[in-house]
Amino acid sequence: MSGRLSLGLTVMLVVCALALVNAQYKSRQLFIELERAQAAARQLDIEWAQLQLDQSTLGKHARIEANARRDLAMVALTPARAQYLTAGAR
């Protein structure tokens, strides 16, 4: 009787040990995946900050006006060059 009990306890001990090893392995894999996801999130945060900086730089009115003058040869509208349309006038 004690032989069967010893064998049963030994089998249960081995099964529990294997379950523990498997749980630790899965835990390590999930931790590695978490670290990779956090690194990717940090990289995306850096890229987002760079894009916001670029947007603020490219959207400044002085830069837009300078590019319009230089690249498109545009000039500011003066009252002398303005043409007004009225309804009903033909």
Side-chain angles (χ1 to χ4, degrees):
M1 195 64 150
S2 82
R4 283 186 173 175
L5 184 60
S6 295
L7 181 62
L9 290 175
T10 304
V11 169
M12 287 178 52
L13 181 64
V14 169
V15 169
C16 287
L18 289 174
L20 176 66
V21 168
N22 189 34
Q24 286 179 338
Y25 175 77
K26 286 182 180 180
S27 173
R28 285 188 187 117
Q29 292 297 97
L30 289 173
F31 182 74
I32 290 169
E33 188 177 335
L34 175 65
E35 288 291 320
R36 286 182 183 152
Q38 287 175 341
R42 283 190 297 272
Q43 184 62 34
L44 288 173
D45 283 340
I46 291 169
E47 289 177 17
W48 175 250
Q50 183 63 41
L51 287 172
Q52 286 181 321
L53 179 64
D54 290 347
Q55 182 183 20
S56 69
T57 302
L58 294 175
K60 290 187 177 181
H61 295 292
R63 184 179 185 284
I64 292 170
E65 185 176 349
N67 283 348
R69 288 180 189 274
R70 183 185 65 240
D71 298 339
L72 303 175
M74 297 178 99
V75 294
L77 183 64
T78 61
R81 296 185 57 216
Q83 294 179 357
Y84 298 98
L85 301 176
T86 58
R90 293 182 183 211

